[in-house]
Amino acid sequence: MPHPHIGTKQTNHSSWVSTGRHLRARASFGGELWSGLGWESLGNVSESELRGQLATLIASFDAPVVIAGIADPGIKLFKLHLDEAGTPQVSRLSRLTWAELRSGRDLLDQALRESLRGSVVESVLVIRSGSGREQEAAGRVIREHSVGAQVIEVTGVKIEGLLRDLVAETPLRQAYDLVVVRERAHDGTLELVGRRLFAKGSVPGEPADETVTVTDPSGVLIAISAWATPVQPSALVSLHHAPLPPGRHRIKAVLERPGVVRFPGIPGLRADDRPWSEIVAALPVRLAPPPPPVHLICAVEVTGTEEEVGARQERAGELIELLADIHPDPRRVEVSVIAYGGHVFGNRYPDRSAPEVAVWAASPIQALDALRSLDAEPSQYPVGAQVEDMLAEVDARLRPGTQATGTVLLTVGARPPHPPRSDTSRVLPCPNRYDWQQLLRGLEQNHGLRTGAIWDGEPRHAPPAWRRLGSAALWSAAVPADEDLAIRLGVLPPSSAPLSLPLIT
Amino acid sequence: MALPSPNPTPHEPDIAMWGGVGSGKTAFLASLSVALNRAEGANEGWRIIGADDVSNSELTRLRTNLLEHRIFPRPTDVLTSYNWLVIGPPTRGRRVWWAPWKRHPARAPKITFSFLDGPGGLFGKSEYSVSKEELIKSLVKSRGLIYLFDPDRRGQISDAFKNLDVALREVESQMLGDDKYLDGKLPHYIAVCITKYDEPNILRLAEEYTDHGLELPRVPDDQARDFFREVLARDLDQNAGIIMRLLEASFHESRIKYFVTSSIGMYADPDKGFDPDDPSNIIDVPGQDQKIRGAVHPINIMEPVIWLGRMLYPKTMGRER
């Protein structure tokens, strides 16, 4: 059933009138009908008759009813009304003892005035369970305030308890729905809909259930809305937060009483008092698309101190673990680990050192093992590292068509690449004359590679080469890798607003 | 008009050397012995020895640093006087008319080389006045000069100018005060060495003057002056352009020769040889001593010395220019 909006229920004014010895609700759009009835006594009834008549009244009234209970200890005034969700509610307005009333009639006048104030039409029902001079006098005062008040005489009834029991036991006057979200077929936008839990007329104790999908790791909101008619806008009956993990859940509900739905079997359930409008406004327009397969290539510089290399391993490891934990489909995650060091200069023989592929396109677990197995090496040429040789290795290993897989190169290190030829940097050229910038451009163009970097220093002080290597994200090796880095690298989908309500498909 | 004699005296040094801060004076000397040992062809058979114990041991230290430890000599911070002797191959004995069946014994040319090694900025600092006096004395007494100019010390051309200007004024005031040198020019032969040719940025700057037809690039001597002029012209310091005019005003033009030099030469891969894309023979790591990367290939290191020798001893060495 479409759920255009959830707002304040609008009700017509109505009142109740008597037919014979029965109370029944009767619509009224002004005071004329009521005002012509005058004081009416319905005479003596038994407790069960009273219970039946009041139950009928509670199930059918629309406008508020003031009920005066005149008993031996004194007089109590109650108000029977419908709340915003159309749920009958009874509340005690005042309680006066005869001793108090003897001290001044004004007290009763004042209480009645306050009880009847602000209503266009108020119905007054007097239930007299005691007799005597004071009770008679109180009746006269009430009559002065409401000439149409009806009087029921009954013996030995505790009126307050009776009213509260009857309100709690009354069948639902409106259907109750669980508010859920679904995707519109034609454009994938989300819309709020209601899933019927309790039909109109359901009685307390009735169970219901609904299977939904929870998408927000922080839990789900369980909102119950009431429907006056199939097309009439509804109002919110209750709102709870359930700390359920993402996934499919069968939510069991029990109608406790009108206005109260219980959810057994959800530990940690708590009422949520946020405004409904705020919750609706925070809902995403669409669900986040499923992330594509990911191939994360971690290229770790192993030259440096053990602490430096250890920090690099730790950062790369954190990202791999994060991928394994959070990626919606870990089976579509591949990880490669490449260790690279520095070129060696000043030896009699040409430098033959090359990056080492510790593991290629493996599972996150295998990649973590490979990452941990890397050992730190002393740096023989501390102003440059074999970044360009590592890029050549990646280029050689990536096959055409890898664009379908989100390939991400994460370079973790400190030293800049060697230039292909002598330049102003004074860093000696790569002995293999690899051009790191050309290789990087080729990888980006041919394989759709995204590049991120974790640099030993503060990113704002990073030299241009490291900024280029960290085009998508440049991170400090001193800062733990987190979801933000993963999102910037594109290995996790961008976080959209969480869907706090249950999803149905 | 015949030029005045540089007035050689047997006990005075033939050649003195000076240059600004970091101009590569000690590297030049260290490389000189290597260059002499490796020389082939016309320059083969030369060597350098210490004229005293201190100079000998210093020579050994310089060679060891350069060839074994592969590092450059540390900058000089105390004034030390060294005396070396550059000895050439013996010339064939000369016949004389009164006894044509006899030959005079062969004679090896010997060039005394003094080097007063002190802080490069000596002339700019008043606290070195005593040392400066020593150096001036050395320059005055020598007959040939090697002046080292480092084109790679950006922002220090001003120091080089000040160094040269002050030194020349001091030497001129001592030598030109009387009527000995009537033409008002210093009598020395001077080899102006533009050093550190192996630096990649100097190599690039020298590209249009370079002869690439050799195993390693080299700026021919006849291009060196033009290259020096370009180096000076490219410097933002307005005093840079005056350096050449100062030299050519103080010395006879015919006694000045320019050399583009490198103490260690360019890097040549053992398998592939020299690659213009990878010329640097220095491993330069900030905070550490510079290290020499490959084999030392001195460029134009012995040539200025031998040129000066030929100028000073034309009879024994044969004059050429």
Side-chain angles (χ1 to χ4, degrees):
Chain A
M1 181 185 294
H3 195 294
H5 74 269
I6 297 175
T8 305
K9 181 178 180 290
Q10 300 294 316
T11 54
N12 293 329
H13 293 295
S14 62
S15 64
W16 55 270
V17 294
S18 64
T19 303
R21 293 172 64 88
H22 298 286
L23 298 169
R24 68 175 175 81
R26 175 171 177 175
S28 169
F29 296 91
E32 302 84 10
L33 180 63
W34 183 255
S35 61
L37 291 175
W39 181 270
E40 187 178 354
S41 172
L42 301 176
N44 286 307
V45 294
S46 67
E47 184 180 344
S48 63
E49 282 176 316
L50 176 65
R51 177 179 280 271
Q53 290 191 14
L54 284 175
T56 305
L57 170 69
I58 289 166
S60 58
F61 80 95
D62 287 328
V65 178
V66 173
I67 297 172
I70 302 173
D72 288 339
I75 182 166
K76 290 179 183 175
L77 295 174
F78 303 97
K79 190 169 190 176
L80 190 61
H81 63 98
L82 297 173
D83 65 12
E84 285 184 344
T87 308
Q89 304 286 351
V90 63
S91 48
R92 192 174 70 191
L93 300 174
S94 59
R95 176 177 176 272
L96 299 164
T97 61
W98 298 124
E100 287 167 333
L101 289 171
R102 273 195 293 271
S103 66
R105 179 191 154 165
D106 288 351
L107 282 175
L108 186 56
D109 277 337
Q110 192 181 340
L112 285 167
R113 265 199 308 276
E114 283 176 5
S115 304
L116 300 173
R117 190 174 57 195
S119 299
V120 178
V121 175
E122 291 290 353
S123 310
V124 178
L125 173 66
V126 181
I127 300 171
R128 201 165 69 186
S129 58
S131 58
R133 212 157 42 87
E134 286 153 329
Q135 284 82 353
E136 289 291 338
R140 278 196 300 276
V141 173
I142 293 169
R143 192 178 170 191
E144 284 170 17
H145 280 274
S146 178
V147 292
Q150 296 186 35
V151 179
I152 298 174
E153 291 182 16
V154 66
T155 308
V157 171
K158 293 193 170 173
I159 191 67
E160 184 169 0
L162 178 63
L163 284 172
R164 293 197 189 282
D165 288 348
L166 290 173
V167 163
E169 290 164 8
T170 192
L172 286 185
R173 293 168 56 141
Q174 295 175 316
Y176 279 8
D177 286 358
L178 176 68
V179 182
V180 296
V181 172
R182 74 177 173 199
E183 284 182 292
R184 285 194 179 98
H186 66 282
D187 64 357
T189 55
L190 299 178
E191 64 176 347
L192 290 176
V193 290
R195 297 294 271 201
R196 182 59 39 88
L197 288 181
F198 303 105
K200 184 177 177 182
S202 296
V203 294
E206 205 171 301
D209 63 70
E210 183 65 47
T211 300
V212 297
T213 301
V214 174
T215 56
D216 185 353
S218 68
V220 67
L221 291 174
I222 299 179
I224 301 296
S225 68
W227 287 77
T229 70
V231 293
Q232 199 168 346
S234 57
L236 200 64
V237 175
S238 64
L239 179 64
H240 288 88
H241 178 267
L244 294 173
R248 280 174 72 77
H249 295 275
R250 187 171 166 220
I251 293 178
K252 293 178 186 170
V254 175
L255 180 65
E256 183 86 8
R257 47 173 287 182
V260 179
V261 178
R262 197 158 49 82
F263 303 97
I266 302 181
L269 189 80
R270 59 175 170 77
D272 193 310
D273 57 3
R274 279 179 292 169
W276 180 243
S277 57
E278 192 179 289
I279 289 161
V280 173
L283 292 174
V285 177
R286 286 185 177 80
L287 288 175
V294 168
H295 181 189
L296 173 66
I297 304 167
C298 296
V300 182
E301 185 192 330
V302 290
T303 47
T305 63
E306 282 190 9
E307 289 73 27
E308 286 168 342
V309 176
R312 291 173 206 151
Q313 286 169 299
E314 205 169 321
R315 296 295 90 83
E318 284 162 356
L319 192 67
I320 297 169
E321 281 172 357
L322 200 66
L323 258 185
D325 291 347
I326 296 185
H327 194 281
D329 189 354
R331 290 165 304 176
R332 302 178 82 192
V333 175
E334 288 180 336
V335 184
S336 299
V337 176
I338 303 179
Y340 70 92
H343 284 297
V344 180
F345 298 100
N347 281 356
R348 182 179 291 270
Y349 302 105
D351 173 31
R352 304 278 183 219
S353 58
E356 182 195 335
V357 178
V359 73
W360 187 260
S363 72
I365 301 295
Q366 289 169 315
L368 284 169
D369 287 344
L371 189 69
R372 288 187 198 108
S373 70
L374 305 181
D375 291 324
E377 295 171 2
S379 172
Q380 298 200 25
Y381 184 69
V383 293
Q386 294 175 328
V387 177
E388 68 286 349
D389 295 69
M390 175 273 291
L391 292 171
E393 181 67 42
V394 171
D395 188 48
R397 283 179 174 261
L398 286 179
R399 295 187 196 90
T402 48
Q403 271 178 327
T405 306
T407 308
V408 176
L409 172 64
L410 178 71
T411 311
V412 191
R415 291 154 187 85
H418 292 265
R421 60 192 61 84
S422 167
D423 64 12
T424 53
S425 70
R426 301 185 75 85
V427 176
L428 290 173
C430 168
N432 301 311
R433 302 291 183 270
Y434 289 132
D435 184 333
W436 68 273
Q437 295 190 78
Q438 200 175 47
L439 282 163
L440 208 51
R441 267 196 305 275
L443 285 166
E444 287 168 341
Q445 284 164 7
N446 302 330
H447 302 285
L449 187 86
R450 282 173 71 84
T451 54
I454 298 179
W455 190 56
D456 278 9
E458 278 279 321
R460 63 198 163 102
H461 297 137
W466 276 94
R467 289 188 193 160
R468 177 69 182 89
L469 287 165
S471 296
L474 179 58
W475 204 259
S476 166
V479 178
D482 63 13
E483 213 173 318
D484 179 35
L485 173 63
I487 291 165
R488 283 162 63 188
L489 288 173
V491 293
L492 284 179
S495 59
S496 54
L499 179 58
S500 55
L501 291 170
L503 177 73
I504 55 159
T505 50
Chain B
M1 184 183 78
L3 293 176
S5 160
N7 191 24
T9 52
H11 304 294
E12 299 300 346
D14 297 318
I15 300 172
M17 182 167 69
W18 104 100
V21 180
S23 57
K25 297 184 291 292
T26 41
F28 186 97
L29 283 170
S31 176
L32 179 60
S33 70
V34 179
L36 292 172
N37 290 157
R38 288 198 183 156
E40 292 174 351
N43 290 334
E44 194 175 336
W46 286 84
R47 65 192 192 282
I48 184 170
I49 59 169
D52 53 52
D53 288 348
V54 173
S55 303
N56 230 350
S57 66
E58 178 63 6
L59 195 63
T60 307
R61 188 183 73 84
L62 292 175
R63 273 180 71 94
T64 308
N65 277 343
L66 202 66
L67 296 178
E68 289 180 29
H69 302 152
R70 311 176 69 74
I71 56 171
F72 289 94
R74 287 191 174 278
T76 311
D77 53 7
V78 289
L79 194 74
T80 316
S81 180
Y82 299 109
N83 295 292
W84 286 292
L85 205 58
V86 180
I87 304 171
T91 54
R92 201 160 169 244
R94 199 156 43 89
R95 290 180 193 280
V96 290
W97 63 269
W98 65 87
W101 60 91
K102 276 181 149 180
R103 276 180 185 274
H104 276 284
R107 277 187 70 180
K110 290 179 184 170
I111 307 166
T112 54
F113 194 120
S114 82
F115 173 45
L116 199 63
D117 195 14
L122 207 59
F123 287 94
K125 296 173 183 173
S126 57
E127 62 266 36
Y128 286 104
S129 58
V130 177
S131 309
K132 191 166 70 180
E133 202 174 299
E134 286 293 310
L135 185 56
I136 294 299
K137 200 187 290 179
S138 149
L139 296 180
V140 167
K141 286 180 178 173
S142 65
R143 299 178 299 144
L145 300 174
I146 292 178
Y147 172 63
L148 301 184
F149 177 85
D150 177 5
D152 194 36
R153 294 186 75 82
R154 287 176 292 276
Q156 298 203 27
I157 294 282
S158 176
D159 284 346
F161 165 73
K162 197 188 295 176
N163 203 344
L164 179 72
D165 187 41
V166 175
L168 285 179
R169 274 194 280 115
E170 294 267 359
V171 174
E172 282 175 331
S173 75
Q174 291 193 26
M175 296 188 78
L176 304 181
D178 54 24
D179 292 337
K180 195 169 180 180
Y181 303 107
L182 293 172
D183 60 357
K185 302 258 187 182
L186 292 171
H188 304 75
Y189 284 90
I190 178 165
V192 178
C193 297
I194 300 111
T195 60
K196 301 187 183 173
Y197 175 48
D198 56 282
E199 285 284 340
N201 51 335
I202 304 300
L203 261 178
R204 272 191 292 276
L205 190 61
E207 180 62 27
E208 68 171 288
Y209 304 94
T210 297
D211 178 358
H212 293 287
L214 306 166
E215 202 173 319
L216 291 177
R218 177 183 284 252
V219 175
D221 294 351
D222 60 356
Q223 296 286 310
R225 184 175 180 275
D226 289 343
F227 173 59
F228 187 38
R229 193 206 305 272
E230 171 142 0
V231 167
L232 296 174
R234 279 178 179 256
D235 199 274
L236 294 175
D237 193 305
Q238 56 187 0
N239 288 328
I242 307 174
I243 290 179
M244 185 180 265
R245 271 186 276 160
L246 202 61
L247 286 167
E248 294 183 352
S250 301
F251 299 95
H252 293 281
E253 199 180 336
S254 61
R255 291 183 177 181
I256 305 173
K257 188 165 182 181
Y258 296 90
F259 297 88
V260 180
T261 71
S262 167
S263 297
I264 57 165
M266 295 77 180
Y267 175 71
D269 184 275
D271 296 333
K272 303 172 198 162
F274 172 72
D275 180 350
D277 284 341
D278 186 15
S280 180
N281 205 12
I282 294 174
I283 300 174
D284 191 4
V285 175
Q288 295 180 15
D289 285 337
Q290 286 188 329
K291 290 199 79 172
I292 296 160
R293 181 181 172 195
V296 173
H297 302 286
I299 295 174
N300 269 343
I301 295 298
M302 61 178 289
E303 285 80 354
V305 178
I306 293 177
W307 174 74
L308 284 170
R310 286 199 172 110
M311 293 303 106
L312 298 177
Y313 299 102
K315 286 182 183 167
T316 39
M317 294 178 63
R319 186 160 198 150
E320 65 173 51
R321 197 177 156 88

